[in-house]
Amino acid sequence: MEISAPAHWHTVDFLSDLHLDRTEAPTTQAFLRYLEQTPAQALFLLGDIFEVWIGDDALHVDGGVEQHVAAALRDVSQRAAIFIMGGNRDFLMGNAFMHASGAQALQDPSVLYASGQGYLLTHGDAHCLGDTAYLAFRAMVRSADWQQQFLSKPLSERQMLGRQMRAQSEAHKATARANAPLQWHDLDTQACLESLENVGVNTMIHGHTHHPATHDLGSGKTRWVLSDWDTSDHPPRAQVLRLSISPSGSGALQRMPVLGS
Ligand SMILES: [Mn+2]
């Protein structure tokens, strides 16, 4: 999928990995404040905005984080274009959620043309070639059959599975804090270079690893890794990558903290 920035886009924000799970959580509140305040004309949410997405009917749960976030995005959509890509946790976000949010679904990968350049946008998980167990799981849960079967379960059953996934994820994080950092898989550099060459652009923007960095891939190619968000962690993290497009049309990427009360 290709998107060309219209002339009125001067500020474009990229975010991922907020892992929102409760309306009242500080990270959710920080995101809602960010949405009210951002000057961006376009927002690109590149996956794992939600900790888990059990189906668009979660929007009917009053007071749920899904409903709150959709309503807030819909408000922003009056003044900014919103593009949402699924991550490995929230890939089941469907048309009803996009409609409720005033957002456009963004395929993984997609290319944004802005400031005279192309930006390859992806969540990042598909490039983690070393994580073979995950890639097998990914192939399964991305199949139409699996998704149809999952979504046909009663909402209450999917809510229970969602709670189990959250609990596992919390236990995982607690272990990581208590012991040495857990092993993690980074994106495969060769796979990234091939993806960039396939679409003929030099810059890749992705999330997923929770290891924000700017990697020089050589030959003028760069990989920008987005930060995850967790305002309860030490130090707290909440950051967007912002593309600022000057009146002359040139662009600059910069990491912007969005913490603050
Ligand atoms: Mn992810």
Side-chain angles (χ1 to χ4, degrees):
M1 188 166 158
E2 292 184 3
I3 292 142
S4 290
H8 74 275
W9 286 8
H10 305 296
T11 303
V12 179
D13 285 352
F14 304 93
L15 310 73
S16 71
D17 302 282
L18 284 75
H19 292 264
L20 305 178
D21 62 355
R22 289 174 300 125
T23 302
E24 65 280 10
T27 304
T28 308
Q29 294 303 316
F31 180 56
L32 297 176
R33 275 198 307 277
Y34 154 77
L35 289 178
E36 282 172 15
Q37 294 168 5
T38 181
Q41 288 84 34
L43 270 55
F44 286 81
L45 309 183
L46 300 184
D48 290 356
I49 299 308
F50 294 97
E51 171 71 3
V52 59
W53 191 265
I54 57 169
D56 286 2
D57 48 356
L59 290 165
H60 303 145
V61 179
D62 286 331
V65 67
E66 298 88 353
Q67 200 179 67
H68 269 272
V69 169
L73 288 170
R74 184 150 200 93
D75 286 345
V76 180
S77 74
Q78 306 300 313
R79 58 184 165 83
I82 304 175
F83 298 88
I84 303 182
M85 182 182 283
N88 54 302
R89 312 297 301 249
D90 56 4
F91 58 88
L92 283 175
M93 291 182 297
N95 289 334
F97 172 66
M98 298 302 163
H99 184 75
S101 304
Q104 194 178 330
L106 190 64
Q107 285 165 17
D108 186 356
S110 287
V111 181
L112 167 67
Y113 293 99
S115 67
Q117 280 196 61
Y119 300 89
L120 176 63
L121 310 178
T122 178
H123 181 60
D125 54 322
H127 286 84
C128 295
L129 301 189
D131 201 349
T132 49
Y134 167 69
L135 287 177
F137 172 78
R138 185 180 196 274
M140 179 182 77
V141 300
R142 297 290 177 120
S143 76
D145 279 353
W146 185 93
Q147 295 195 0
Q148 204 173 15
Q149 208 176 15
F150 181 83
L151 291 171
S152 68
K153 293 179 198 292
L155 177 61
S156 58
E157 191 180 335
R158 283 177 282 126
Q159 284 172 322
M160 193 189 69
L161 291 168
R163 280 193 294 273
Q164 283 174 2
M165 283 183 67
R166 285 187 189 115
Q168 276 166 10
S169 166
E170 282 308 310
H172 190 76
K173 275 191 264 181
T175 311
R177 273 194 291 270
N179 304 318
L182 293 174
Q183 199 198 349
W184 62 285
H185 291 277
D186 204 352
L187 280 71
D188 182 87
T189 300
Q190 197 53 42
C192 293
L193 286 168
E194 280 168 21
S195 292
L196 286 166
E197 275 154 22
N198 282 343
V199 291
V201 306
N202 286 330
T203 308
M204 180 171 178
I205 300 174
H206 71 85
H208 181 62
T209 63
H210 300 196
H211 283 79
T214 308
H215 298 282
D216 182 349
L217 303 179
S219 321
K221 293 185 168 55
T222 312
R223 172 163 79 91
W224 290 78
V225 190
L226 301 171
S227 172
D228 61 320
W229 286 35
D230 188 347
T231 64
S232 304
D233 204 357
H234 306 285
R237 296 181 302 284
Q239 181 192 86
V240 304
L241 182 64
R242 178 163 290 168
L243 174 66
S244 300
I245 305 170
S246 73
S248 68
S250 66
L253 283 167
Q254 192 182 6
R255 296 181 188 279
M256 302 285 294
V258 296
L259 282 173
S261 47

